[in-house]
Amino acid sequence: MTHWLSILVNTPAHAQLGPVLTYQSEHALAPGTLVRVPLGKRETLGVVWNVAPSDATGELDSGKIRAIAGTLQGVAPLSSAWQQLVTFAANYYQRSVGEVALAALPPQLRELSPEQMQRRLARKPQAAKAQEASAHPAPALSPEQATVVAQIEAAAGPFLLFGSTGSGKTEVYLHCVQQVLAQDPQAQALVMVPEINLTPQLEERFKTRFAALYGEDAVVSLHSGMTNPQRLKSWLAAHSGVARIVLGTRMAVFASLPKLRLIVVDEEHDPSYKSGEGARYSARDLAVYRGRLDGAKVLLGSATPSLESWHQSRPADQGGRYVRLHMPSRIGAVANPVNRPGAVLGLPLVRRVDMNHQHRKAVFSIPLLDAIKERVLRGEQCMVFLNRRGYAPVLHCGECDWKSECPHCSAFRVFHKIDRTLRCHHCGFTERVPRACPKCGNPDITPLGRGTEQIEEHLAELLADIRRPHSVSAEFPEGEPPRVARIDADSTRLKGALESQLAAVHAGDVDVLVGTQMIAKGHDFRRITLVAAVNPDGALFSSDFRAPERLFSLLMQAAGRAGREASLGATSEVWIQTFQPAHPLYAALKQYDYPAFAEQQLLEREQAAMPPFSAQALVRAEARTQEAAQAFLNLASASAHTHMPQWEGWAEVLAQITLYPAVPMTIQRIANVERAQMLVESPSRQALQQFLSGWQSLLHATRAEPDCKGLIRWAIDVDPLAI
């Protein structure tokens, strides 16, 4: 007997085919079954989808319907909740369902034939048997932690855990996971972190706690830094239920977890949870939606929550949808109270240095340099934060005003002194540093600005006159000079480099750690007692309305690296070097008063009708010329104003939509591709979604206009984080 099946595939956008096509099969297959199907001249992975064949696109002539090539036996069908999640994500973020669904599956799963998959499953290792759980008992919870865990147990959520850095949020996550797994022998938990480099330390903590209870295979990771075979192995373990805990980055929100009962989103404010390509989804927002689909509790955690989540966690009688939980104290703070004026209990003292009173070209103020030397001489560690890698952002000629512009981008190439190169951080174009100015021949070309390489070099010079305690040796009879190390995207490029550098910091082999935001988030540096932000002012005057929120969050996270050891917390300090010491952002930071900062920011946004008090989408266009990119956007806008008012029932929707003119993006050219954008705004999220769905056909039609010749691609970004 022949069965007609609706199969979800990733059809090309230009093919004018829908994502669900009709195929025939000798056997009836359940929705969610993974199959191989012919598509054009190639064979691809498809998913049996829960729609009637009459609703699928493609040929319905029984004589022309092609047969599936095979079924991936041994892989259980994907759950209906997973299919609903994918469908919602595709509709909300204005992408094809097939694109989202197939991209959410492991790359190797999309490539293997049924025969290869059978061989792969045949050699799958058996789950390790559970052992006696006596090696690593859970530590006792503090009163604050116990209260929060009890609140999570008693309510349905979603929850926003607002906890100070060092307050023990990770232990709350561990305890909640342990409760969920103990209550149901099949239950699974998903724990997400914003960046790959935070995954290994989290995996170690979870395996230490749970491997003895549930076996070595019970904890797996999922992130893009893994090889394709590793990702497939972890995905299969989660899909089959062997893995009880999945740790991962934003891509893990689509992991197949049939018995999901708890979702944790650590550092929920982090912009890394928003995808920047393809389906530009927010993993944090999808986690909340997925929790509702799966009946799982959702716990969002941060010391500096996103303003959207903070607004959602206002009291329920004011419209809040999340339950706000608070842990204001650091672990051990009661035993080690801070007795300094103006200090917050258990948290480092924040000092603002007015750089207007320092030497004009000073990188480090004299008080900060003295403080760093004092810490090093005591055997403590310091961290210097500057969110700009390389030696200098620009090379400059004082004679003819030449600058190291990238020939392919509207940006400057960064000077990297270590390998003597000029490197574009956008397109990757790299050249050797010229011996003289390419324009006028002047040999005296100089760096402008500072990056982490220069800070590292400069600090080593400034600290050369002091010696590490207890470091006398035959090679250094007077003692070793302080060790300055740098951690950024350049120093950690090689595999295993980040792990080895972090190990050196934890072992005490580094006195001063210099780095970008890579070191400001999530790391548990127990010996650091001083954190310094060298030049944070740039974000105060950014054109992006979210810049102050990101700066406050980043500085709070960086400050949280200091004094995490209870015995050192009382003497730890955070130094902010600024030309704007009276700015309200730094005043709130000094008191660690996130609620006051959030209240002020939300008031400004409400007055300006900015998110979360409105909904936004960006339409971005890329073309060979800036004129073509902007022409496409402006023509699409004009088409909406011309055609959509004539559609029945659309007048009310259009009345709530504002289409702004097209403008170049901040960096308007990358790799010789011109980029422009158009902002779409509405006070109603529902109206915006309805408009974007209806506008899609007009956008496709506009692409064929003569003025748009040279258009390469366009994309819609719903709820953009950068404008």
Side-chain angles (χ1 to χ4, degrees), residues 217-516:
D217 293 336
V219 181
V220 299
S221 294
L222 265 178
H223 55 76
S224 59
M226 302 167 68
T227 65
N228 286 347
Q230 288 172 333
R231 281 171 65 175
L232 179 60
K233 180 181 178 182
S234 292
W235 187 90
L236 288 171
H239 180 64
S240 65
V242 171
R244 306 288 303 282
I245 304 166
V246 173
L247 312 174
T249 50
R250 65 171 178 256
M251 63 180 290
V253 76
F254 289 112
S256 176
L257 293 153
K259 298 295 182 181
L260 183 61
R261 295 295 176 265
L262 175 68
I263 305 175
V264 175
V265 184
D266 191 24
E267 309 292 4
E268 66 86 31
H269 66 277
D270 199 289
S272 298
Y273 283 121
K274 183 77 159 68
S275 173
E277 57 187 24
R280 290 165 167 81
Y281 64 89
S282 166
R284 177 199 66 211
D285 296 345
L286 286 181
V288 175
Y289 182 79
R290 183 170 189 178
R292 191 157 68 242
L293 287 177
D294 285 276
K297 292 191 176 184
V298 180
L299 176 57
L300 313 177
S302 177
T304 54
S306 63
L307 290 179
E308 284 80 3
S309 296
W310 185 260
H311 184 63
Q312 292 288 5
S313 67
R314 64 195 188 278
D317 58 3
Q318 298 176 21
R321 298 190 298 118
Y322 300 171
V323 179
R324 186 184 299 172
L325 311 172
H326 195 195
M327 293 199 310
S329 306
R330 275 191 159 184
I331 296 297
V334 175
N336 296 276
V338 179
N339 297 316
R340 296 165 300 179
V344 179
L345 187 66
L347 294 170
L349 178 68
V350 177
R351 297 183 181 275
R352 290 169 288 183
V353 180
D354 188 348
M355 295 302 286
N356 296 296
H357 299 156
Q358 301 296 317
H359 187 275
R360 189 169 63 90
K361 294 186 178 180
V363 181
F364 293 93
S365 62
I366 294 174
L368 173 57
L369 186 59
D370 289 342
I372 291 175
K373 289 181 177 180
E374 181 184 338
R375 302 281 171 173
V376 173
L377 289 171
R378 291 212 301 252
E380 299 171 9
Q381 292 176 319
C382 303
M383 187 177 95
V384 177
F385 166 69
L386 176 67
N387 206 24
R388 178 173 284 166
R389 58 192 173 103
Y391 189 86
V394 186
L395 270 189
H396 171 250
C397 173
E399 292 290 328
C400 67
D401 205 33
W402 170 86
K403 293 183 177 67
S404 55
E405 293 179 345
C406 175
H408 310 299
C409 306
S410 53
F412 295 109
R413 284 176 292 163
V414 176
F415 171 39
H416 289 261
K417 187 175 181 180
I418 290 179
D419 56 4
R420 301 292 299 175
T421 59
L422 291 175
R423 191 182 310 157
C424 178
H425 289 173
H426 300 283
C427 72
F429 178 68
T430 304
E431 281 186 332
R432 298 288 296 172
V433 172
R435 294 182 178 275
C437 173
K439 190 174 179 181
C440 71
N442 173 28
D444 189 19
I445 51 178
T446 56
L448 286 182
R450 302 175 184 89
T452 49
E453 280 184 25
Q454 187 175 159
I455 296 296
E456 177 190 21
E457 178 185 276
H458 191 48
L459 259 179
E461 294 170 353
L462 293 174
L463 301 178
D465 60 333
I466 65 172
R467 294 292 177 264
R468 305 181 81 215
H470 316 299
S471 63
V472 175
S473 63
E475 185 180 357
F476 298 100
E478 297 181 0
E480 295 180 23
R483 298 174 183 173
V484 181
R486 172 173 53 90
I487 294 182
D488 57 24
D490 297 316
S491 69
T492 58
R493 187 174 290 124
L494 298 177
K495 184 176 177 62
L498 176 63
E499 289 77 6
S500 62
Q501 292 178 33
L502 289 175
V505 177
H506 290 301
D509 296 335
V510 173
D511 299 297
V512 183
L513 175 63
V514 177
T516 57

Side-chain angles (χ1 to χ4, degrees), residues 87-141:
T87 302
F88 170 81
N91 292 337
Y92 186 83
Y93 294 106
Q94 301 296 315
R95 306 297 290 197
S96 158
V97 182
E99 176 192 5
V100 176
L102 276 300
L105 299 173
Q108 200 170 48
L109 191 65
R110 304 198 295 266
E111 299 163 2
L112 295 179
S113 68
E115 295 74 25
Q116 291 170 322
M117 194 65 199
Q118 284 289 353
R119 291 196 294 269
R120 172 68 181 77
L121 292 171
R123 67 172 186 266
K124 185 180 71 172
Q126 296 295 315
K129 294 181 179 179
Q131 304 160 10
E132 289 298 321
S134 56
H136 299 282
L141 297 177

Side-chain angles (χ1 to χ4, degrees), residues 582-650:
H583 195 282
L585 185 148
Y586 295 134
L589 183 70
K590 183 173 178 61
Q591 298 300 323
Y592 294 96
D593 195 350
Y594 174 81
F597 171 78
E599 181 180 0
Q600 176 257 336
Q601 286 288 305
L602 285 171
L603 179 62
E604 290 183 7
R605 292 196 188 181
E606 186 173 20
Q607 292 170 343
M610 294 286 192
F613 302 99
S614 67
Q616 293 180 332
L618 274 179
V619 186
R620 295 190 175 98
E622 298 181 0
R624 294 301 176 195
T625 64
Q626 184 65 214
E627 292 75 18
Q630 292 196 36
F632 168 75
L633 296 173
N634 287 325
L635 284 170
S637 176
S639 183
H641 287 109
T642 302
H643 294 91
M644 297 177 83
Q646 302 173 20
W647 299 353
E648 185 178 351
W650 276 77

Side-chain angles (χ1 to χ4, degrees), residues 545-567:
F545 71 91
R546 295 184 191 274
E549 177 187 1
R550 284 197 292 267
L551 176 62
F552 188 89
S553 171
L554 199 52
L555 292 178
M556 277 277 282
Q557 294 294 326
R561 301 316 107 206
R564 297 179 75 86
E565 183 63 49
S567 61

Side-chain angles (χ1 to χ4, degrees), residues 10 47 94 103 146 180 200 249 260 271 464 539 697:
N10 188 4
V47 185
Q94 301 296 315
V180 165
T249 50
L260 183 61
S697 61

